[in-house]
Amino acid sequence: MWMTSLVALVLLATSASAATSASPDKVLSNHATILADNSAKLAFSLYQNMAKEKNLENILISPVVVASSLGLVALGGKASTASQVKKILNAAKVKDEQLHSGLAELLSEVSNQKTRNVTWKISNRLYGPSSVTFVEDFVKSSKKHYNCDHSKINFRDKKSAVKSINEWVANTTDGKLLEVTKDVDKTDGAMIINAMFFKPHWDEQFHHKMVDNRGFMVSRGYTVSVQMMHRTGLYGFYEDKTNKLTILSMPLAHKKSTVVIIMPQQVELLERLEKMLTKTQLDKWMGKLQQTPVAVSLPKVSMEVSHNLQKHLGELGLTDAINKSKADLSNISGKKDLYLSGVLHASAMEWDTDGNKIDMSIFSTDQLKNPKLFYADHPFIFLVKDQKTKCILFLGRMVRPKGDKMRDEL
């Protein structure tokens, strides 16, 4: 009798396990959904703030990773140091534990390389001055929620500190990012560093052999030589004739996310477009996309960009954490002896031809007849938008891709 019952229990457990593994995609919790939406709003506020910075060309930020860094500050902070994070994330009503579990859930969902068939390596580290002692509970919680490791460093030995930081970043990105900083300004604070490598895999690849050298017009008087990759397909497409813009949406592998490119129809500074760029405006443009035959040409380049977001986050409301006299990060060290002296956000992104095989059957139909032309040979804004969570994985602009100067034009 007991053997029969045991067999029944085993069969029951096996069937339950099979049902679980066969179940559809897990539904995000309510607080993770709220944080996904709010991180998208943060994306545009942060981007517009950064775009005002003089002499800044390319921009590349991951809003969900920035939100996680803010969560790390809230985890280590008390009083207004922590509450300001919730205000920036528009999450005042979200409980502390839900904030951390929600951000962890969101980042885990969107960065799952297997289910999404993308290459996205994310590493986070909190550097503290050599005098700090990390509280064990904080170390465990920050590892659990934000996959953040910790290290003490002698910031006063600036040369050695810079070398250590750059070596760590190079190792965690497989050499894609070799240098994220040349100096450390402050020697007595804590520094958060995000190091990422992202490589989109297209839902349908570009033609590997259809790559050639073309000119990318940084401005009307300055052109650089870059490799351009080409292909024709059915994509989300919209021409905003009023604002003289073109929007293209290209799905990545498994169609879990999409690359959206917003490009002025003429060579111009991006300032006009950037003033329009809000979550509401993006939603309007996305709602007008139609599946259209498009002949696409994109730069086949890599971008390596490092930003110190401390000042920009301060301007968005994170004022206490970055103020030595006001910061209360005592959950990190057990006493009020720390402030946030830097938030280094470094990303490498490769624009390449790789992706799933092209569906050749479409070329024997009229579906690709008279395609529109999308030729990305001058500055544009781009974002990687997640289809399931609706959050923005990356937001940036390509103003000056790597390439040799071709010519001056009058």
Side-chain angles (χ1 to χ4, degrees):
M1 181 69 181
W2 69 269
M3 182 61 75
T4 305
S5 300
L6 181 61
V7 171
L9 283 169
V10 170
L11 289 172
L12 185 63
T14 304
S15 61
S17 175
T20 302
S21 62
S23 63
D25 285 350
K26 178 187 171 187
V27 177
L28 281 184
S29 65
N30 184 53
H31 44 278
T33 302
I34 291 170
L35 291 164
D37 187 59
N38 293 349
S39 72
K41 293 173 185 173
L42 169 67
F44 296 108
S45 299
L46 181 57
Y47 178 93
Q48 290 194 334
N49 197 286
M50 296 173 70
K52 295 173 187 174
E53 189 175 321
K54 290 182 180 179
N55 302 319
L56 180 61
E57 294 180 325
N58 298 335
I59 292 177
L60 185 57
I61 54 173
S62 172
V64 286
V65 174
V66 173
S68 295
S69 293
L70 287 169
L72 186 66
V73 174
L75 185 67
K78 290 182 180 178
S80 58
T81 300
S83 63
Q84 284 177 354
V85 169
K86 286 189 174 183
K87 192 171 182 181
I88 295 171
L89 292 174
N90 197 22
K93 295 181 180 179
V94 178
K95 294 178 181 178
D96 288 353
E97 182 53 37
Q98 291 179 332
L99 175 75
H100 303 307
S101 64
L103 287 171
E105 181 185 351
L106 178 61
L107 192 57
S108 175
E109 167 65 37
V110 300
S111 63
N112 188 319
Q113 297 189 42
K114 196 168 185 179
T115 60
R116 289 166 182 273
N117 193 19
V118 296
T119 300
W120 193 7
K121 296 192 70 171
I122 306 170
S123 298
N124 302 302
R125 176 170 277 196
L126 176 70
Y127 280 100
S130 49
S131 59
V132 76
T133 300
F134 293 117
V135 174
E136 190 174 344
D137 282 350
F138 173 79
V139 171
K140 288 180 179 177
S141 295
S142 57
K143 186 71 176 176
K144 172 186 174 184
H145 293 303
Y146 301 113
N147 196 27
C148 180
D149 63 16
H150 310 77
S151 179
K152 294 182 185 184
I153 194 168
N154 182 9
F155 286 119
R156 296 184 187 281
D157 184 353
K158 291 189 176 185
K159 187 176 180 180
S160 177
V162 167
K163 183 182 178 184
S164 295
I165 291 169
N166 287 332
E167 283 179 351
W168 173 76
V169 170
N171 287 335
T172 60
T173 59
D174 295 333
K176 301 297 182 179
L177 279 167
L178 296 177
E179 182 180 83
V180 298
T181 186
K182 295 180 184 294
D183 193 14
V184 286
D185 295 331
K186 294 164 182 145
T187 60
D188 56 351
M191 181 181 285
I192 295 173
I193 300 185
N194 314 129
M196 290 164 282
F197 170 57
F198 185 84
K199 183 177 181 179
H201 296 258
W202 306 102
D203 189 55
E204 289 193 6
Q205 66 192 12
F206 281 76
H207 300 284
H208 298 310
K209 293 182 180 179
M210 289 180 63
V211 176
D212 53 13
N213 289 323
R214 302 283 180 100
F216 186 98
M217 291 177 282
V218 176
S219 65
R220 289 188 179 275
Y222 194 95
T223 301
V224 296
S225 174
V226 300
Q227 286 196 312
M228 295 283 277
M229 51 190 186
H230 315 277
R231 72 146 306 187
T232 300
L234 286 174
Y235 300 114
F237 185 84
Y238 173 63
E239 290 181 279
D240 184 340
K241 294 180 180 177
T242 303
N243 292 308
K244 298 178 181 178
L245 304 168
T246 305
I247 295 94
L248 175 73
S249 175
M250 298 182 67
L252 298 183
H254 295 353
K255 297 184 178 179
K256 300 269 188 179
S257 55
T258 183
V259 170
V260 179
I261 300 173
I262 309 166
M263 187 172 68
Q265 291 172 348
Q266 303 293 330
V267 181
E268 63 175 273
L269 296 174
L270 293 174
E271 185 178 0
R272 179 180 68 86
L273 167 55
E274 287 168 339
K275 286 179 178 176
M276 286 185 260
L277 197 62
T278 63
K279 184 176 181 298
T280 301
Q281 181 60 64
L282 177 67
D283 290 342
K284 286 181 182 178
W285 282 327
M286 297 297 287
K288 292 181 178 180
L289 292 173
Q290 292 189 343
Q291 287 295 105
T292 306
V294 187
V296 179
S297 296
L298 295 181
K300 181 182 180 291
V301 293
S302 61
M303 292 177 70
E304 294 88 32
V305 186
S306 180
H307 304 289
N308 190 342
L309 301 181
Q310 185 210 34
K311 179 184 76 170
H312 302 296
L313 292 173
E315 289 169 355
L316 294 181
L318 193 74
T319 56
D320 282 13
I322 64 175
N323 187 312
K324 188 174 180 179
S325 62
K326 292 184 178 179
D328 184 351
L329 294 171
S330 51
N331 282 339
I332 297 178
S333 62
K335 50 188 177 181
K336 291 176 67 174
D337 59 347
L338 278 181
Y339 72 105
L340 193 60
S341 61
V343 181
L344 281 183
H345 189 79
S347 307
M349 179 181 284
E350 280 190 9
W351 296 66
D352 206 341
T353 56
D354 294 346
N356 295 336
K357 287 185 178 179
I358 297 172
D359 178 7
M360 300 302 293
S361 65
I362 196 172
F363 292 95
S364 61
T365 70
D366 290 334
Q367 292 183 73
L368 299 183
K369 193 175 180 181
N370 301 320
K372 296 282 187 179
L373 182 65
F374 191 91
Y375 191 67
D377 68 342
H378 57 278
F380 56 83
I381 291 173
F382 64 92
L383 54 103
V384 182
K385 193 170 191 296
D386 187 60
Q387 299 294 78
K388 178 180 176 180
T389 66
K390 308 303 179 189
C391 70
I392 295 172
L393 310 185
F394 277 94
L395 173 62
R397 69 183 183 195
M398 188 178 290
V399 171
R400 186 191 292 266
K402 287 186 292 186
D404 295 328
K405 180 181 177 183
M406 289 182 68
R407 64 185 180 272
D408 283 320
E409 297 174 357
L410 295 176

